[in-house]
Amino acid sequence: MSRNEPLISEESARYLAKVVNRAAEAFDVSALSTEEAVEVFTLLDQLTQKLWDEHKRVLVSLYQSIFERRGLSEDDEDDEDNEPEDTGGDLH
């Protein structure tokens, strides 16, 4: 592969997407050790923070859309399962 070629070709991308989707559906988080769970969580947290930092406007719209589809609002405090709002941390 030369430097001018993409890592994943357009042709193979659809097959790779199928494999990734199957792997995600079968991912058994209960099989992870405590250490593995911490590593996966840390990786996802770092990735989420970077995405939030760079694409906050789009992600806010996405969250609002999800809330609307589920019939929720941002200030919906009627649910007993809601935890108190933590105003000191970052929103992911």
Side-chain angles (χ1 to χ4, degrees):
M1 178 187 332
S2 76
R3 290 184 177 178
N4 295 331
E5 294 178 26
L7 180 61
I8 301 169
S9 72
E10 294 291 325
E11 207 173 272
S12 65
R14 62 185 172 147
Y15 299 109
L16 181 59
K18 288 179 182 181
V19 170
V20 169
N21 286 334
R22 280 199 311 264
E25 289 172 3
F27 186 61
D28 183 7
V29 295
S30 65
L32 295 176
S33 70
T34 301
E35 294 82 9
E36 291 169 330
V38 169
E39 288 298 322
V40 169
F41 183 86
T42 302
L43 172 68
L44 293 175
D45 183 54
Q46 291 172 358
L47 180 60
T48 301
Q49 185 61 52
K50 287 180 180 186
L51 286 168
W52 181 259
D53 291 345
E54 293 297 323
H55 301 285
K56 192 176 301 181
R57 181 174 292 160
V58 171
L59 294 173
V60 166
S61 297
L62 173 65
Y63 287 134
Q64 289 171 338
S65 173
I66 292 169
F67 287 151
E68 289 171 6
R69 279 198 315 261
R70 294 184 177 176
L72 302 172
S73 66
E74 291 180 49
D75 47 46
D76 211 357
E77 294 295 332
D78 297 337
D79 190 6
E80 294 175 318
D81 295 334
N82 282 345
E83 295 181 9
E85 188 175 312
D86 179 11
T87 57
D90 291 336
L91 177 61
H92 292 271

